[in-house]
Amino acid sequence: DELYQLDEGLEKQIQTALNDTRLVLTPNFRRLFYLTHRSLSFEEPVLLVGDTGAGKTTVAQLCAFLRGANLHTVNCHQNSETADFIGGYRPNRSHSSSSSSDQIMEGQEQEIDQRLFRWYDGPLVQAMKAGEPLLVDEISLAEDAVLERLNSVLEHKKGLTLAEKGGGSDVEQIVAKKGFLMVATMNPGGDFGKRELSPAMRNRLTEIWVPSLSLRQELHDLLSENLTAF
């Protein structure tokens, strides 16, 4: 506990957040939060590796909450595509095929976008533009070819070229705003049906091992907290 001691102000913020969620600050969770929080404070991209239910997603949500930021999320699976991260062209929701006269709203002429398809930013691009954290859940399930688009984002400049958006010679270049952070989670590669993350991607991330819930005292604290309502 002494090794992962939090400053008093941060401790109070965490306790306030936990009071509304029925979460318990166990020694293992304290360690996990401390290491994740410290890594993110140095703007390091983090990889949390541990079994299901160990608190990987929860600690990412807590870190975003304490920063007062919206947490953008990508849930990876075997069929994940690049568009799930950066976005893509989709049917234009505001498209109107009618030939009626221009709509009038509050005395002003409103233009109607007549394009059938338009570009919609994905969670990665939204997080970079807003300067907010991104959670890539179960990152190891996505194919390496898809994850390669994250390479430039994980470099020092945190840049991204949206070649998929088109634009000819004027391709959109994005540099992440201050505040952009990335947390990825995965189960151990030895689990049934799970695969390992490529060494090239893994070396770009600060890896933190998330131990399973095993201490008797932790189980006691969790049961005591969650059975008080009954």
Side-chain angles (χ1 to χ4, degrees):
D1 265 3
E2 294 181 2
L3 182 61
Y4 306 114
Q5 198 70 8
L6 304 170
D7 64 75
E8 186 176 347
L10 186 58
E11 183 88 32
K12 288 182 178 179
Q13 286 183 290
I14 294 174
Q15 290 298 341
T16 301
L18 296 182
N19 289 338
D20 298 332
T21 59
R22 300 185 64 81
L23 292 172
V24 181
L25 193 61
T26 63
N28 269 341
F29 190 81
R30 178 187 294 273
R31 166 193 171 275
L32 174 59
F33 172 79
Y34 179 87
L35 294 175
T36 305
H37 175 73
R38 289 292 292 172
S39 297
L40 294 177
S41 67
F42 292 107
E43 299 186 356
E44 287 287 329
V46 174
L47 174 64
L48 304 177
V49 183
D51 294 325
T52 302
K56 302 187 297 294
T57 301
T58 301
V59 78
Q61 293 170 338
L62 180 59
C63 287
F65 174 79
L66 293 176
R67 285 173 167 76
N70 180 38
L71 180 65
H72 302 260
T73 305
V74 179
N75 295 300
C76 297
H77 48 82
Q78 293 177 342
N79 298 317
S80 292
E81 301 176 347
T82 305
D84 296 329
F85 286 86
I86 67 173
Y89 282 99
R90 300 174 187 170
N92 188 0
R93 302 188 188 99
S94 63
H95 172 71
S96 174
S97 57
S98 63
S99 57
S100 59
S101 59
D102 293 339
Q103 296 180 353
I104 304 297
M105 178 178 288
E106 298 180 358
Q108 298 295 326
E109 189 174 288
Q110 181 184 28
E111 294 183 4
I112 302 177
D113 193 343
Q114 296 292 339
R115 293 175 296 176
L116 291 175
F117 294 88
R118 60 169 293 191
W119 177 271
Y120 290 91
D121 290 335
L124 171 61
V125 176
Q126 291 175 9
M128 293 178 68
K129 288 182 175 180
E132 294 177 328
L134 172 73
L135 170 64
V136 184
D137 205 17
E138 300 290 355
I139 188 173
S140 61
L141 296 182
E143 295 293 335
D144 293 340
V146 174
L147 297 179
E148 282 181 0
R149 290 297 274 117
L150 296 175
N151 289 349
S152 61
V153 180
L154 299 176
E155 300 294 340
H156 177 69
K157 294 183 178 180
K158 298 182 181 179
L160 181 67
T161 301
L162 287 181
E164 293 85 350
K165 193 173 181 178
S169 58
D170 191 22
V171 178
E172 184 175 358
Q173 305 276 347
I174 300 174
V175 176
K177 286 186 177 180
K178 185 174 180 58
F180 171 75
L181 303 167
M182 178 174 150
V183 178
T185 70
M186 63 174 281
N187 286 56
D191 285 5
F192 179 77
K194 305 295 183 181
R195 53 190 291 272
E196 285 287 356
L197 200 60
S198 70
M201 174 58 65
R202 206 157 185 164
N203 289 339
R204 288 181 165 87
L205 303 168
T206 299
E207 187 170 333
I208 299 174
W209 171 252
V210 184
S212 301
L213 189 64
S214 58
L215 297 178
R216 182 181 295 271
Q217 185 60 44
E218 290 193 353
L219 292 170
H220 178 271
D221 293 342
L222 289 171
L223 289 172
S224 299
E225 175 66 26
N226 288 283
L227 290 177
T228 53
F230 298 95

